[in-house]
């Protein structure tokens, strides 16, 4: 039976800028309508939100997603025709003091 599918690939880049570290994280999300009829679909992803002023998170690429700045939730509302595929990119940077350890999941 045909179905809908999605896949994601990761992007990562790290730089040391003086006393700070800047990391860039990103994903390419592929969505495909494998059904014989058009569909409307909502895709959600999230970027981190910092609660500490010395850790800065900045969205870089949202591919038209609407982002909630409080939660970091990014939402795409898509209409896909039968067999149609769509690629969505999402990336952000995190800047923090290099003497701190930051874990980004």
């Amino acid at each position: 039976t045909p179905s809908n599918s999605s896949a994601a690939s990761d992007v990562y880049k790290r730089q040391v800028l003086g006393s700070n570290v800047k990391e860039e994280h990103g994903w390419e999300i592929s969505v495909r309508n494998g059904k014989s009829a058009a569909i409307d679909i909502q895709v959600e992803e999230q970027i981190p939100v910092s609660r500490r002023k010395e850790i800065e998170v900045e969205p870089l690429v949202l591919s038209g997603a609407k982002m909630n700045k409080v939660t970091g939730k990014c939402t795409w509302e898509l209409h896909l025709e039968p067999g149609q595929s769509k690629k969505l990119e999402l990336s952000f940077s995190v800047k923090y003091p290099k003497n701190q350890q930051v874990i980004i999941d």
Side-chain angles (χ1 to χ4, degrees):
T1 316
S3 63
N4 304 318
S5 63
S6 65
S9 57
D10 296 334
V11 176
Y12 175 76
K13 182 178 172 183
R14 185 175 193 268
Q15 299 179 286
V16 177
L17 307 167
S19 62
N20 293 308
V21 172
K22 183 177 181 180
E23 295 183 16
E24 291 182 11
H25 297 266
W27 298 269
E28 182 179 86
I29 304 165
S30 298
V31 181
R32 185 173 86 74
N33 178 7
K35 300 207 179 265
S36 59
I39 62 167
D40 292 314
I41 187 169
Q42 185 177 66
V43 178
E44 295 180 342
E45 185 57 87
Q46 186 175 22
I47 65 172
V49 176
S50 175
R51 292 186 173 91
R52 296 169 53 190
K53 68 178 182 171
E54 67 271 11
I55 300 173
E56 300 173 19
V57 178
E58 178 183 345
L60 300 174
V61 177
L62 298 177
S63 292
K66 293 180 183 173
M67 186 180 105
N68 181 316
K69 292 183 181 190
V70 175
T71 65
K73 182 173 145 182
C74 300
T75 306
W76 293 268
E77 301 283 343
L78 304 175
H79 177 82
L80 297 175
E81 294 296 327
Q84 184 181 7
S85 296
K86 181 83 175 178
K87 291 190 180 194
L88 309 169
E89 291 183 47
L90 179 68
S91 65
F92 62 92
S93 66
V94 180
K95 184 175 154 187
Y96 58 92
K98 68 180 178 183
N99 63 349
Q100 293 186 11
Q101 182 178 13
V102 175
I103 298 172
I104 301 167
D105 286 332

